[in-house]
């Protein structure tokens, strides 16, 4: 049996899959099996996967990420299972680094990596989102309570913690919560930087940053996220305290700005909230200035604000949906009694 099982879940990603699989095959660690889980793709995914994979597992119907990941985990035979997204390219040393790290740290049950600063797509939103994710993850402690879908892994014996993972966007975050709250340890390997080939436009950017917080609202209530706030100097999962505060403040800043034209709101109150919001994001903006220059940094200011509004909307809608779901469930239980 191979020591590692590398699984690549994919749905209609023929444009990036070959880069992903080719990079895995160039790894300097050879004791692994490569499994591609094809989620009923309709493009050239299957034929590309067949050139590289030891086994291609084809789903007859579209299962979504939760179902595909479960099928990959169950089909793996290695002692360690590594998940790599189909739009991610790893370095040739990454698999050997994973093996060495877990061999030297037997108490670590799972791990996750981060995105490198480099994104091949040169449009502003792709560069911004990639740098944002890199920055956010660099702030996290060594031990975390989440997994990040681009690259993560676990020891075979904890697969059972997958459980009835919901079919939300944040299935990797939920799996991480299950692992961490069961008493197992997840390490964030900042040395494990992968290159992400995801391209963003305004539509995908806003949908992503609405749907992820929408899903997180469910996870926050389901896994008692309020008890996690502040532990190890973090917020909830990979959302730090300053990010959460910024997301809460953004709608307040917008509301005060609009209210100035409708009712007698002191201008000083608006500026106080605006300056506080700016202060929470100053380090990130400086990071962007240093990496991408003045023009990019200036464009990032309204982008961060818009991003925060999308996140706040997702949290609000997700909280309302969770409240309705809980109320409906309780009503149904009462009727059955």
């Amino acid at each position: 049996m191979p020591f590692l099982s590398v699984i690549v879940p994919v749905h209609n990603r023929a444009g990036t899959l070959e880069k992903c699989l080719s990079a895995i095959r160039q790894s300097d660690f050879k004791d692994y099996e490569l499994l591609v889980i094809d989620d009923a793709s309709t493009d050239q995914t299957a034929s590309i996967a067949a050139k590289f994979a030891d086994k291609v597992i084809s789903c007859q119907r579209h299962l979504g990420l939760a179902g595909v990941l479960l099928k990959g985990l169950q089909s793996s035979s290695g002692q360690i299972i590594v998940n790599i997204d189909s739009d991610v390219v790893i370095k040739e040393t990454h698999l050997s680094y994973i093996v060495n790290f877990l061999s030297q740290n037997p108490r670590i049950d799972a791990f996750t990596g981060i995105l490198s600063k480099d994104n091949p797509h040169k449009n502003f939103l792709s560069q911004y989102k990639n740098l944002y994710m890199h920055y956010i993850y660099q702030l996290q402690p060594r031990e975390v309570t989440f997994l990040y879908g681009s690259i993560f892994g676990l020891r075979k014996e904890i697969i059972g913690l997958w459980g009835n993972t919901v079919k939300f966007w944040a299935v990797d975050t939920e799996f991480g919560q299950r692992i961490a709250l069961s008493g197992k340890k997840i390490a964030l390997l900042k040395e494990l930087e992968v290159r992400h080939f995801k391209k963003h436009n305004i539509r995908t950017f806003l949908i992503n940053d609405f749907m992820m917080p929408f899903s997180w609202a469910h996870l926050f209530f389901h896994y008692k996220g309020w008890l996690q706030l502040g532990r190890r100097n973090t917020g909830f999962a990979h959302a730090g305290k300053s990010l959460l505060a910024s997301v809460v403040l953004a709608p307040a800043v917008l509301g005060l700005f609009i209210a100035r034209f409708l009712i007698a709101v002191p201008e000083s109150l608006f500026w106080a909230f605006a300056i506080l919001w700016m202060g929470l994001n100053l380090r990130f903006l400086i990071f962007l200035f240093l990496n991408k220059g003045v023009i990019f940094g200036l464009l990032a200011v309204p982008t961060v604000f818009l991003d925060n509004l999308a996140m706040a909307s997702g949290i609000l809608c997700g909280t309302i949906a969770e409240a309705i779901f809980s109320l409906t469930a309780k009503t149904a239980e009462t009727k059955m009694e």
Side-chain angles (χ1 to χ4, degrees), residues 8-24 43-45 48-49 52 84-90 119-121 195-199:
V8 179
V10 59
H11 175 67
N12 289 340
R13 287 276 180 83
T16 59
L17 183 61
E18 185 164 355
K19 298 183 183 71
C20 171
L21 300 180
S22 176
I24 294 170
D43 60 4
Q44 300 301 311
T45 288
I48 294 172
F52 296 93
I84 299 174
D85 270 359
S86 57
D87 58 358
V88 162
V89 169
I90 67 170
N119 185 294
H121 303 293
R195 196 175 185 216
H196 202 194
F197 277 71
K198 187 169 185 176
K199 185 176 184 179

Side-chain angles (χ1 to χ4, degrees), residues 328-337:
T328 303
K330 288 181 179 179
T331 302
E333 289 178 4
T334 302
K335 288 181 179 180
M336 289 178 66
E337 292 174 356

Side-chain angles (χ1 to χ4, degrees), residues 68-87:
V68 172
L69 278 175
L70 178 59
K71 187 176 284 289
L73 292 173
Q74 293 174 335
S75 303
S76 301
S77 57
Q79 298 176 41
I80 297 168
I81 303 168
V82 182
N83 174 84
I84 299 174
D85 270 359
S86 57
D87 58 358

Side-chain angles (χ1 to χ4, degrees), residues 180-239:
L181 297 182
S182 71
K184 305 297 184 181
K185 294 186 181 298
I186 304 173
L188 175 61
L189 306 182
K190 298 177 183 178
E191 304 83 355
L192 201 62
E193 289 192 2
V194 299
R195 196 175 185 216
H196 202 194
F197 277 71
K198 187 169 185 176
K199 185 176 184 179
H200 279 287
N201 54 42
I202 187 65
R203 176 179 170 274
T204 61
F205 178 77
L206 292 177
I207 288 176
N208 181 84
D209 286 0
F210 174 87
M211 289 303 301
M212 290 300 289
F214 182 93
S215 299
W216 272 34
H218 165 82
L219 300 180
F220 187 83
F221 288 104
H222 189 74
Y223 294 101
K224 298 180 180 179
W226 57 88
L227 298 178
Q228 301 179 43
L229 295 174
R231 290 187 179 182
R232 293 186 293 273
N233 199 34
T234 61
F236 176 69
H238 70 253

Side-chain angles (χ1 to χ4, degrees), residues 155-174:
R155 297 185 189 273
K156 178 81 170 180
E157 54 265 28
I158 66 168
I159 286 180
L161 293 174
W162 180 263
N164 296 316
T165 301
V166 297
K167 295 182 179 180
F168 275 64
W169 278 47
V171 293
D172 46 359
T173 304
E174 178 172 10

